[in-house]
Structures are given as structure tokens and as C-alpha cells.
Amino acid sequence: MPTVDLDIAAPPEAVWKVIVDLRDWPVWGPTVSAADLDDDGPLRSGSRGKVWTPVGVPLPFVITEFDDGRAWAWRVAGVPATRHEVIPTREGCTLSFGVPIWAPAYLPVMAVALPRIELLATKDAA
């Protein structure tokens, strides 16, 4: 899986909190204008919901991988999508986003999201 990474000087927990909070997705995700879950509760394996594109089209999603505090991946409209991983380091963590092998053109979009997440996580950790 092709990836793009960013070392972040924030606790892994702060970064994780940003990437699993659907209210933050439109803040850091360039291709997300809104997101919600079908059920109450935190994001978890098997969670289903909708994500809205910038042009207002809602797409169904399901969380296909979930390792609490570490990684999650999803399918959007039935298609494998991005994988998000928080890797603890001495200085904080590395945030890694992976894309399907057939979607390397999406890596620049993910690269835009990384510093936005860093900003939210360091603000929250301060």
C-alpha cells in the first residue's frame, strides 16, 4: 500500500482523537465536507455511516479495520479506501496514511491532510 507520513510532536492519543472524531474530518480532509455514523457511539470496527463529498454527494462507508489507538481503514461506496495509522515515537508519533495500490494519485490529497491533523492535535494537546 503506498503511503505518505508525517512525524508529529504530539502525543499519539491526541492525533488518534483527531482522526477518529467525525466532526474533525471536514477540517482536515480535503475531500470531506461532512460525515456521520448510522449508530451512536465511537468509531469502531464495523461502524457504518455516510461521508459527504465537497459537491454534496453522500457516500456510504464501513470501517473494515480498527485497532483502537493505532489504526483504522474503510471502504467508501464499497471500494477499499484509505488506511490511517498512528505510530508512537520518542518525540510523539508518526501519522501514516495509505491508499490502495491502484490509487497513488490520491497521496497528494492525503499529504494535504497530514499537517492539518498536526495542527488540530497540537492545539488540543497544548
Side-chain angles (χ1 to χ4, degrees):
M1 178 172 267
T3 62
V4 62
D5 309 316
L6 180 66
D7 294 329
I8 300 176
E13 300 81 13
V15 174
W16 180 255
K17 180 181 170 201
V18 171
I19 67 169
V20 297
D21 187 339
L22 276 68
R23 294 170 298 184
D24 284 337
W25 290 7
V27 178
W28 59 261
T31 59
V32 175
S33 63
D36 65 31
L37 292 174
D38 291 347
D39 296 321
D40 291 335
L43 198 66
R44 61 190 175 275
S45 183
S47 288
R48 294 181 178 275
K50 289 186 183 70
V51 61
W52 278 261
T53 67
V55 295
V57 177
L59 300 172
F61 73 80
V62 62
I63 303 302
T64 56
E65 175 189 349
F66 193 87
D67 181 3
D68 196 17
R70 182 62 185 245
W72 67 269
W74 61 343
R75 294 176 71 88
V76 178
V79 177
T82 51
R83 183 176 189 276
H84 315 73
E85 184 174 12
V86 178
I87 304 158
T89 65
R90 287 183 183 198
E91 297 79 25
C93 65
T94 299
L95 179 57
S96 179
F97 282 169
V99 299
I101 194 76
W102 48 265
Y106 200 62
L107 286 174
V109 174
M110 297 285 80
V112 168
L114 292 170
R116 292 177 178 183
I117 293 166
E118 178 181 34
L119 183 64
L120 289 168
T122 54
K123 180 183 77 168
D124 289 347

